[in-house]
Amino acid sequence: MFALTPFGRRFGVDSYNPFREFENMEKSFFGSGALAEFKTDIREKDGKYILEADLPGFRKEDIRISLDGDYMTITAERKAENEEKDEKGNYIRSERSFGSFSRTFDLSGVDSEKIDASYQDGVLSVIMPKKEKEEKKDRYIEIR
């Protein structure tokens, strides 16, 4: 009689994933597949919110802060090129890095007229003073 050998072990079919090649191709083309975003810390101090966003490698001109009602959007766009040519002008290496990063924050408790921002050593700092609380006065409503 012949010996029975599990098909998966003999030919490796049980570990075969037909989509693995597509996943590997996508990762090699687009990168690791992780969402590109920048990290932020927000803390409260002396009646202000202080937002610090890590944006290393960006120039100040590449960062834009926009206000739309009670929302603030921070957008950073990178356009970098690195070329190395030999003495004949032929490429030895050519790399390009392009990308856009964006985050939106709720400013409902912030005095948006007094927001201040600075950028130094790859960190964007946004100082946002809190809105002053309005004193609620007791009053009576006359019934007609």
Side-chain angles (χ1 to χ4, degrees), residues 86-98:
D86 62 8
E87 60 276 351
K88 295 179 183 177
N90 297 324
Y91 286 105
I92 296 173
R93 179 175 68 119
S94 177
E95 295 181 358
R96 292 165 195 85
S97 174
F98 299 93

Side-chain angles (χ1 to χ4, degrees), residues 118-133:
S118 63
Y119 182 70
Q120 184 176 2
D121 298 330
V123 177
L124 175 69
S125 298
V126 182
I127 310 298
M128 302 172 286
K130 289 183 179 182
K131 282 184 180 176
E132 293 184 25
K133 292 183 180 180

Side-chain angles (χ1 to χ4, degrees), residues 67-82:
L67 298 174
D68 183 18
D70 280 346
Y71 295 97
M72 174 179 69
T73 302
I74 300 173
T75 306
E77 190 170 358
R78 176 177 301 160
K79 296 178 185 177
E81 294 188 26
N82 185 6

Side-chain angles (χ1 to χ4, degrees), residues 92-109:
I92 296 173
R93 179 175 68 119
S94 177
E95 295 181 358
R96 292 165 195 85
S97 174
F98 299 93
S100 180
F101 306 90
S102 182
R103 300 265 319 253
T104 300
F105 301 92
D106 181 23
L107 298 181
S108 55

Side-chain angles (χ1 to χ4, degrees), residues 6-142:
F7 186 71
R9 288 186 191 166
R10 186 171 168 197
F11 298 104
V13 173
D14 63 344
S15 65
Y16 176 70
N17 179 354
F19 300 104
R20 184 177 298 131
E21 294 302 317
F22 289 116
E23 290 170 2
N24 292 339
M25 180 180 70
E26 180 183 6
K27 285 180 183 177
S28 67
F29 186 76
F30 293 110
S32 67
L35 290 175
E37 64 178 29
F38 53 88
K39 305 299 182 196
T40 60
D41 296 325
I42 302 173
R43 55 191 162 95
E44 183 180 350
K45 184 178 179 183
D46 300 329
K48 299 176 185 175
Y49 295 108
I50 301 169
L51 180 143
E52 293 178 333
D54 291 339
L55 293 167
F58 286 94
R59 297 177 308 165
K60 186 168 75 170
E61 298 81 30
D62 297 334
I63 302 169
R64 193 179 85 206
I65 301 172
S66 60
L67 298 174
D68 183 18
D70 280 346
Y71 295 97
M72 174 179 69
T73 302
I74 300 173
T75 306
E77 190 170 358
R78 176 177 301 160
K79 296 178 185 177
E81 294 188 26
N82 185 6
E83 294 182 354
E84 291 182 17
K85 296 182 180 184
D86 62 8
E87 60 276 351
K88 295 179 183 177
N90 297 324
Y91 286 105
I92 296 173
R93 179 175 68 119
S94 177
E95 295 181 358
R96 292 165 195 85
S97 174
F98 299 93
S100 180
F101 306 90
S102 182
R103 300 265 319 253
T104 300
F105 301 92
D106 181 23
L107 298 181
S108 55
V110 172
D111 185 355
S112 61
E113 298 296 322
K114 297 180 181 175
I115 294 176
D116 186 36
S118 63
Y119 182 70
Q120 184 176 2
D121 298 330
V123 177
L124 175 69
S125 298
V126 182
I127 310 298
M128 302 172 286
K130 289 183 179 182
K131 282 184 180 176
E132 293 184 25
K133 292 183 180 180
E134 296 179 14
E135 287 187 35
K136 294 184 179 181
K137 298 178 183 176
D138 293 337
R139 67 183 193 123
Y140 294 98
I141 307 288
E142 183 180 328

